[in-house]
Amino acid sequence: MRNLFKLAVNIVLPVYLSGIFMFQVRADNFETVRAAESENLMEKTEQERSDDEGAWTGIDVSIVGKYAEKYGRPPRDPYINTDQGDLLLFVFTLAGVVGGFVIGFNVRKIFYEKQENR
Amino acid sequence: MKILKTLIAVFFLLFIFSDKTVYAMHITEGILPTEWVITWFAVSVPFLAIGIYKVKRKKKAVHSYLPLAGMLGAAVFVFSCFPIPVVALNGMATSHPCGTGMSAILLGPFVSVLVAGIALLIQALFLAHGGLTTLGGNIFSMGILGSFSGFFAFKIAQRCGMSLFWCGFFAGVISDLFTYLGTSIELGLLVVKNGGSFFRATAEIFGVFMMTSQGVLCVVEGVVVGFIMVFVYKKRPDILQQLGIKTNAKSV
């Protein structure tokens, strides 16, 4: 009986207590994770909402897309979709640089080169 | 050829497909049904063919025609994918000009359609703007309607004895209005299948366009085209003469 009591005090009780502790820690973690996840999800939703309906939305987005959906022909993905992350920023910058170069080069050639070179 | 192949390879490595829905400028992929896709392509192709023929003919007749076409082509491309912030009835929004009025005056309406077609094709391929199936429809609205309306507005304004600035201004405004009228017509035609009123739908969409940022921006585009015409006249009046644009020095 005494040995049984010693076994309970030395092994079962620490295991039981550590089990409760571990469960609490894990439960806390779950709650923290869940809270963080729900916060992120909310932030994401707000971000998406601001992207879709916020300030400086193109009228082609808000008008053409809206009416096309209303008439049963919603827009779908482009065959070559560059609207992924910063890729669209890259192609727009590249397009601006190339377009600007072509404009500048030809403006100089047409309007600013000497008359005798024409 | 080797460089071209490398560019194509890089292009396909870079631009992978995604399932994300994109709403972009002009008429986006998937909006037009097949019958209208074919119709708008059929309408646009003859204008593009005549445009190619006119470029070949005019480059021999006008000395600086090719650099001018290159410059205006790049300008139309940049103009039509350049979202300008405008505060209007719909609050803070962005909208883009078209540039086809300017190109129609200086290059002629058919070449302007060609230039717009190339710009729209590049945008559809690389910038997720417009679409490949809706290219014909976008060429019809921005290229054909935008160019011809701007060209005739310029001619009419000249006949009315207006100064070069105001002729350019009206060409810019009218071409912008007609471009969005074209888009409204193309969207309005979608309701015909469902038994809706085409005229009502077109008027509604066009009214919404004009009451929001685009109404303000067409005036801005008019001012820009007016100043560009005055700039060309002051720097190279011989180009305008070669292109057959009558100018009166007193009315500039």
Side-chain angles (χ1 to χ4, degrees), chain B residues 29-58:
Chain B
E29 208 81 74
I31 290 180
L32 297 180
T34 315
E35 62 266 26
W36 284 113
V37 168
I38 295 166
T39 306
W40 295 127
F41 267 107
V43 169
S44 305
V45 166
F47 286 89
L48 296 170
I50 297 170
I52 293 167
Y53 168 75
K54 292 264 182 186
V55 169
K56 283 182 180 174
R57 212 182 63 175
K58 281 190 176 180

Side-chain angles (χ1 to χ4, degrees), chain B residues 4 48 52 60 63 78 86 130 132 134 138 153 197 200 202 216 229:
Chain B
L4 188 69
L48 296 170
I52 293 167
K60 291 172 187 168
H63 179 64
V78 171
V86 182
L132 292 172
T134 56
N138 287 329
S197 168
R200 196 176 165 185
T202 304
V216 179
M229 291 309 296

Side-chain angles (χ1 to χ4, degrees), chain A:
Chain A
M1 190 68 188
R2 199 177 169 181
N3 288 339
L4 199 66
F5 180 75
K6 274 184 179 176
L7 184 75
V9 170
N10 291 326
I11 298 170
V12 176
L13 191 63
V15 168
Y16 174 72
L17 288 176
S18 61
I20 289 173
F21 176 74
M22 289 296 289
F23 179 78
Q24 285 298 326
V25 168
R26 286 190 67 185
D28 282 351
N29 283 343
F30 284 143
E31 278 177 17
T32 313
V33 169
R34 278 188 199 132
E37 276 177 355
S38 64
E39 206 170 293
N40 283 341
L41 283 173
M42 280 178 70
E43 277 175 12
K44 198 180 175 187
T45 312
E46 279 167 13
Q47 180 66 40
E48 281 174 355
R49 201 175 294 146
S50 76
D51 284 349
D52 292 341
E53 299 165 11
W56 310 120
T57 306
I59 63 156
D60 293 315
V61 176
S62 54
I63 297 172
V64 175
K66 192 181 114 186
Y67 276 101
E69 271 187 30
K70 188 181 167 186
Y71 300 150
R73 299 287 308 179
R76 62 168 167 76
D77 315 332
Y79 289 109
I80 300 160
N81 190 1
T82 52
D83 192 9
Q84 300 173 63
D86 279 350
L87 188 59
L88 193 63
L89 188 64
F90 165 73
V91 286
F92 259 87
T93 310
L94 190 67
V97 169
V98 174
F101 175 78
V102 173
I103 294 171
F105 180 81
N106 286 308
V107 163
R108 183 180 166 81
K109 193 171 183 180
I110 299 166
F111 299 111
Y112 292 100
E113 277 183 5
K114 287 179 182 174
Q115 190 73 40
E116 58 264 27
N117 293 341
R118 285 172 195 163

Side-chain angles (χ1 to χ4, degrees), chain B residues 60-76:
Chain B
K60 291 172 187 168
V62 182
H63 179 64
S64 299
Y65 193 76
L66 276 184
L68 194 69
M71 182 188 78
L72 288 166
V76 168

Side-chain angles (χ1 to χ4, degrees), chain A residues 54-64 92, chain B residues 24-26 77-99 129 142 176-177 179-180 183 206 208-221:
Chain A
W56 310 120
T57 306
I59 63 156
D60 293 315
V61 176
S62 54
I63 297 172
V64 175
F92 259 87
Chain B
M25 68 173 228
H26 308 310
F77 172 73
V78 171
F79 269 43
S80 58
C81 65
F82 185 46
I84 298 172
V86 182
V87 180
L89 284 179
N90 55 336
M92 296 183 290
T94 61
S95 192
H96 67 84
C98 305
H129 276 191
M142 199 179 101
D176 202 300
L177 288 176
T179 297
Y180 279 85
T183 307
F206 186 65
V208 171
F209 270 134
M210 289 307 120
M211 282 189 291
T212 53
S213 317
Q214 199 62 36
V216 179
L217 200 70
C218 68
V219 178
V220 176
E221 183 167 359

Side-chain angles (χ1 to χ4, degrees), chain B residues 179-197:
Chain B
T179 297
Y180 279 85
L181 180 65
T183 307
S184 307
I185 289 169
E186 287 165 25
L187 289 174
L189 284 166
L190 297 177
V191 300
V192 175
K193 223 176 183 178
N194 306 329
S197 168

